[in-house]
């Protein structure tokens, strides 16, 4: 249980600045100044408020909270360009974001949509921690703002936002949608929808609604098995959405979208990497417009029985899928040395 909510709403919450305009005397230009400063120039909310007239600034501080998530830990990878941020909500719940500096000018942030996750996927550390709560829009927006600020101080720019941190975005669709709307809003972050990606295990009713609103946002489906019994073993929620039913939904969804769907497939030794699995995957994807992303498994303490597929098996999957005509890439996880890689996000430090 969290403590009482703060009395003043967060400055990052959509609609808040508009709502306090009359009481604080904020002018339309002030709104623009604040948003440009926070979301485009990487200033902290405090620094942004200091740009206003002192009278307006202090009035605003009475009505709006500028302190939201607290950085409790930052770990920079010694090996690659990843930075893990452990953040704490006002009530002390810990969540993680990961900054990925792939090439200069192409930096990304991987954000969390929930603290914990209700999907309980066997291969994912977050799945093993269970569910605490969904994040509010302002907590998602603030993760992006914090990453943007760090990158800005390095002379880099935040280009991509991926919803591949903790949580299942389609279990928190309303907040994720409002956050995505701000990411692509010219007055807020002004990112291209093509630089935003949402990854989901495939909660199809929610997904249909999401795609109807944001057909241009990139979509990734964590498939991980094209045989129903294998998928159910790895991902308990697969029972609720049988592969056949999901296939129908994906075909409807792709009619709304111009870009291919990314299919994520984690390769697990002896579990989903047999010839039968490969055949099933090819069959499953045949009539879909997809880009296949093979993911080498990052081991997690909570599931010592899961091991990554051998290099030879990974190569066979990749080559066979390519020969079958698919676009195939293999994911390279950053941040393995700081427990920031895919599937490794959870709460490793006592922070509250
Ligand atoms: N719940 C959503 C969003 C989280 S995305 C989803 O599952 O799609 C997290 C990504 O990391 C997904 O592609 C997921 O399949 C992958 N992943 C999870 N555990 C992993 C692990 N141990 N090693 C490598 N990738 C993993």
């Amino acid at each position: 249980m969290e403590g009482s909510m703060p009395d003043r709403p967060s400055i990052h919450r959509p609609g808040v600045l508009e709502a306090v305009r009359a009481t604080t005397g904020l002018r339309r230009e002030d709104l623009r100044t604040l948003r440009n400063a926070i979301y485009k120039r990487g200033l902290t909310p405090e620094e942004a408020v200091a740009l206003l007239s002192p009278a307006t600034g202090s009035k605003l501080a009475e009505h709006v909270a500028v302190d939201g998530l607290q950085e409790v830990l930052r770990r920079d990878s010694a090996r690659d360009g990843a930075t893990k941020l452990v953040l704490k909500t006002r009530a002390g719940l810990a969540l993680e974001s990961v900054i990925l500096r792939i090439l200069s000018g192409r930096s990304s942030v991987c954000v969390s949509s929930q603290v914990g996750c209700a999907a309980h996927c066997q291969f994912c550390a977050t799945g093993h921690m269970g569910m605490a709560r969904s994040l509010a829009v302002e907590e998602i927006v603030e993760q992006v703002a914090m990453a943007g600020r760090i990158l800005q101080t390095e002379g880099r720019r935040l280009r991509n936002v991926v919803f591949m941190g903790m949580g299942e975005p389609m279990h928190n669709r309303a907040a994720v949608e409002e956050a995505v709307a701000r990411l692509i809003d010219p007055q807020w972050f002004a990112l291209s929808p093509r630089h935003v990606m949402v990854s989901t295990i495939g909660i199809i009713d929610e997904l249909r609604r999401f795609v109807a609103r944001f057909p241009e946002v990139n979509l990734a489906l964590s498939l991980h098995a094209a045989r129903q019994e294998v998928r159910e073993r790895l991902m308990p929620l697969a029972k609720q959405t049988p592969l056949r039913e999901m296939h129908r939904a994906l075909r409807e969804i792709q009619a709304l979208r111009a870009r291919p769907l990314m299919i994520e497939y984690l390769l697990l030794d002896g579990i989903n990497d047999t010839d039968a699995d490969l055949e099933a995957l090819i069959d499953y994807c045949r009539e879909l417009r997809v880009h296949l992303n093979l993911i080498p498994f990052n081991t997690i303490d909570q599931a010592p029985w899961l091991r990554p597929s051998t290099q030879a098996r990974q190569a066979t999957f990749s080559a066979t899928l390519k020969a079958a005509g698919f676009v195939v890439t293999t994911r390279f996880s950053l941040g393995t040395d700081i427990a920031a890689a895919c599937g490794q996000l959870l709460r490793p430090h006592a922070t509250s």
Side-chain angles (χ1 to χ4, degrees), residues 6-282:
D7 41 353
R8 292 162 305 154
S10 163
I11 193 168
H12 300 291
R13 191 171 176 76
V16 158
L17 289 176
E18 287 81 356
V20 300
R21 270 182 68 186
T23 34
T24 58
L26 267 191
R27 298 163 306 162
R28 197 177 291 279
E29 313 80 277
D30 296 330
L31 249 72
R32 199 176 318 124
T33 301
L34 287 171
R35 290 198 174 125
N36 280 340
I38 300 172
Y39 304 118
K40 299 203 176 81
R41 294 169 50 209
L43 272 63
T44 64
E46 291 91 333
E47 291 164 346
V49 171
L51 300 173
L52 306 178
S53 77
T56 313
S58 62
K59 263 266 184 249
L60 188 64
E62 283 169 25
H63 290 88
V64 170
V66 291
D67 58 328
L69 299 176
Q70 297 269 343
E71 183 182 312
V72 290
L73 185 88
R74 172 176 170 169
R75 292 178 79 189
D76 296 291
S77 169
R79 205 185 291 160
D80 51 49
T83 294
K84 170 159 96 167
L85 299 175
V86 180
L87 309 172
K88 206 159 78 168
T89 67
R90 294 173 70 105
L93 288 172
L95 60 125
E96 300 187 9
S97 314
V98 182
I99 298 172
L100 304 154
R101 302 173 188 82
I102 298 165
L103 290 170
S104 68
R106 255 189 64 197
S107 301
S108 305
V109 62
C110 177
V111 296
S112 296
S113 55
Q114 299 182 302
V115 180
C117 188
H120 298 288
C121 299
Q122 289 301 301
F123 46 77
C124 178
T126 308
H128 286 271
M129 72 185 271
M131 182 61 182
R133 74 160 165 84
S134 283
L135 292 173
V137 196
E138 57 267 32
E139 292 167 326
I140 299 172
V141 165
E142 194 171 0
Q143 293 175 64
V144 181
M146 290 175 100
R149 187 179 313 146
I150 289 172
L151 290 165
Q152 197 100 194
T153 61
E154 301 168 356
R156 291 189 168 86
R157 251 183 94 81
L158 176 70
R159 172 88 72 87
N160 300 286
V161 176
V162 298
F163 285 78
M164 295 196 189
M166 298 162 69
E168 166 48 49
M170 291 302 123
H171 281 162
N172 187 20
R173 181 182 54 82
V176 167
E177 280 193 1
E178 290 317 303
V180 167
R182 270 66 219 184
L183 297 181
I184 64 179
D185 186 331
Q187 308 211 334
W188 289 58
F189 292 95
L191 300 180
S192 157
R194 313 167 113 241
H195 292 153
V196 176
M197 177 175 270
V198 172
S199 177
T200 175
I201 60 167
I203 316 289
I204 54 182
D205 290 340
E206 302 295 338
L207 198 53
R208 278 198 188 93
R209 296 192 185 106
F210 182 85
V211 171
R213 181 163 174 194
F214 298 111
E216 290 174 21
V217 165
N218 281 302
L219 203 62
L221 174 75
S222 286
L223 186 68
H224 305 319
R227 295 196 290 157
Q228 181 64 20
E229 67 280 10
V230 179
R231 195 162 192 263
E232 282 183 18
R233 217 177 305 142
L234 292 171
M235 309 165 73
L237 286 192
K239 287 189 194 74
Q240 287 174 18
T241 310
L243 283 167
R244 196 162 292 286
E245 204 179 301
M246 189 152 72
H247 199 273
R248 266 198 304 276
L250 292 176
R251 294 191 57 174
E252 285 168 35
I253 283 169
Q254 81 176 7
L256 303 173
R257 303 180 71 250
R259 314 195 78 198
L261 169 73
M262 181 186 277
I263 297 279
E264 300 169 285
Y265 199 99
L266 199 59
L267 286 164
L268 295 162
D269 186 33
I271 292 180
N272 66 355
D273 70 347
T274 66
D275 287 342
D277 291 301
L278 182 51
E279 259 169 55
L281 179 59
I282 291 172

